[in-house]
Amino acid sequence: MIRILFLMAMISYILATLLPQQQILNQSVSALCMLIVLFSLRRVRGLAMAFGLSFLCLGSLMLLISHAAASSFLLSFGEMIQMVTLFTMVPILALPIRLGRYAHELNQIIRKKVSSPPHLYRLISCLSFFFSSFMNLAALPLAYHAVASSIDYFRIEHKSRWINCAITHGYAMPLLWSPITPIVGTVLYLTGTTYSQILLPLILLSICGLLLDWRLAGKERPASPMFQ
């Protein structure tokens, strides 16, 4: 049931974005999100339940104190549904990698050119670094689906954790300076600094971070390719 509610909420949000003049769509998004919260409270336990109820009660109290209209209680739900929609749709961006069989071609290159796990680690993090420079969240599924099958050619312990580290470490470095990173624009606005002043130092800093990560990854226990 809750999955259906999430799907309906995301579809309603997309329609509300495409048709902003239809206020009923915004109201339906809020109503669906309120139902999602109520249904979720029946499933969660522990800290999640405590924090959820705390925020729900505090938010309701703030609306009561401010003498908000009854409609404001409903419309207060759903402010973050865009993030849920974003994370749900991001994997779709990896479809060109699958349909175009780019991963297969990349695997062939890796089998011929890459000789060790540290070398593969550097390749994966560099690829993730490149994608993250101009694609932000889309870099994660693209990098993963492009190289995920390549690690099967190497004897690597904890393969899932290994590839996640390689991708996320490379992904994180461009977030210091990439213009599509929201925090970069926020910092520039609050400090009054021009982008040209910080661009070069931050690029150099991110590259140094990438090189340091390669150095630390190279100190791990070596493994050998399975196909040699």
Side-chain angles (χ1 to χ4, degrees):
M1 180 63 180
I2 195 169
R3 293 183 179 181
I4 297 176
L5 290 174
F6 267 112
L7 180 60
M8 293 174 61
M10 288 185 289
I11 293 175
S12 298
Y13 168 73
I14 294 173
L15 292 176
T17 303
L18 297 175
L19 303 171
Q21 68 277 11
Q22 301 294 330
Q23 294 299 320
I24 187 64
L25 292 174
N26 290 322
Q27 296 171 1
S28 64
V29 171
S30 298
L32 289 168
C33 290
M34 183 178 66
L35 290 175
I36 290 171
V37 171
L38 295 177
F39 274 94
S40 298
L41 289 176
R42 300 173 55 185
R43 297 190 175 191
V44 297
R45 297 291 185 274
L47 286 177
M49 170 70 81
F51 279 114
L53 287 176
S54 298
F55 285 123
L56 193 60
C57 294
L58 287 173
S60 300
L61 181 61
M62 292 172 65
L63 288 172
L64 286 173
I65 293 175
S66 61
H67 303 288
S71 59
S72 298
F73 283 86
L74 176 63
L75 295 177
S76 62
F77 290 89
E79 291 294 329
M80 298 301 294
I81 189 63
Q82 66 269 23
M83 296 303 298
V84 177
T85 306
L86 174 63
F87 283 109
T88 302
M89 297 186 67
V90 158
I92 298 176
L93 299 175
L95 286 178
I97 298 292
R98 298 179 180 178
L99 299 178
R101 295 180 59 83
Y102 296 113
H104 175 73
E105 298 298 328
L106 184 59
N107 287 341
Q108 297 300 318
I109 296 175
I110 289 174
R111 293 190 64 176
K112 295 178 181 179
K113 303 295 184 179
V114 177
S115 58
S116 64
H119 189 185
L120 179 62
Y121 184 96
R122 291 192 292 269
L123 175 64
I124 294 174
S125 61
C126 190
L127 184 66
S128 181
F129 183 97
F130 173 74
F131 284 152
S132 178
S133 298
F134 59 90
M135 300 184 71
N136 207 345
L137 285 176
L140 296 175
L142 284 176
Y144 180 82
H145 289 288
V147 299
S149 58
S150 301
I151 64 173
D152 293 333
Y153 303 130
F154 295 84
R155 294 188 179 92
I156 299 174
E157 295 182 358
H158 310 294
K159 292 183 179 181
S160 179
R161 185 178 66 181
W162 187 89
I163 191 173
N164 287 335
C165 287
I167 292 175
T168 54
H169 291 180
Y171 165 81
M173 292 298 104
L175 300 183
L176 293 172
W177 56 267
S178 177
I180 61 175
T181 306
I183 190 62
V184 173
T186 302
V187 171
L188 292 177
Y189 173 77
L190 293 176
T191 60
T193 307
T194 60
Y195 186 59
S196 59
Q197 288 179 301
I198 67 169
L199 180 59
L200 183 58
L202 290 182
I203 288 179
L204 293 176
L205 184 61
S206 66
I207 293 175
C208 290
L210 188 65
L211 295 176
L212 178 61
D213 180 58
W214 290 355
R215 176 68 175 176
L216 295 175
K219 292 184 177 181
E220 296 180 357
R221 186 175 65 180
S224 58
M226 297 176 63
F227 52 82
Q228 288 185 347

